[in-house]
Amino acid sequence: MTGSCCEHTATSDWRDHAACVGEDPEIFFPLSDLAAPGTEASLARAVCRRCAVLIACRDWAVEHGEDDGIWGATTAAERRSIRRAAREPTPPLRRHDNGSGQSSSH
């Protein structure tokens, strides 16, 4: 039986299935994503967008505080934003009067 890239064994690592394997690592570490966002990172993002493990890559970089390079098609600034948003408390659901005198949630 042959396994697909999405069928990971206990010893398999998402990095083994990444589309960037064999690519020039330099494209994933542009000089700056602040001066011209997206310009230098466009080649790396194109590789990421065809990757079967894009989400695992991005999640790993967010969880490990990776502040350099393009990971899972995100820049360091985008990952910092994701981490900030994850730390913010979720506002409670607001209930609205639906006109019948009873409240309903949306």
Side-chain angles (χ1 to χ4, degrees):
M1 178 171 109
T2 61
S4 75
C5 69
C6 300
E7 295 174 19
H8 303 295
T9 66
T11 59
S12 181
D13 188 275
W14 63 264
R15 289 171 278 219
D16 297 333
H17 306 284
C20 60
V21 172
E23 294 284 344
D24 180 1
E26 294 293 318
I27 69 171
F28 297 94
F29 295 91
L31 296 176
S32 173
D33 59 81
L34 299 176
T39 304
E40 293 182 7
S42 62
L43 182 56
R45 287 178 186 250
V47 173
C48 292
R49 287 190 185 105
R50 63 178 169 82
C51 185
V53 294
L54 181 145
I55 302 298
C57 177
R58 184 204 60 211
D59 290 351
W60 182 92
V62 169
E63 290 169 13
H64 289 87
E66 185 60 61
D67 274 339
D68 293 309
I70 305 300
W71 292 81
T74 61
T75 64
E78 291 167 330
R79 292 189 302 277
R80 285 190 295 273
S81 179
I82 291 168
R83 283 192 295 273
R84 267 192 311 274
R87 287 190 303 259
E88 292 178 2
T90 305
L93 289 176
R94 291 179 45 180
R95 297 197 172 267
H96 299 282
D97 184 2
N98 64 9
S100 66
Q102 298 177 349
S103 35
S104 64
S105 62
H106 295 273

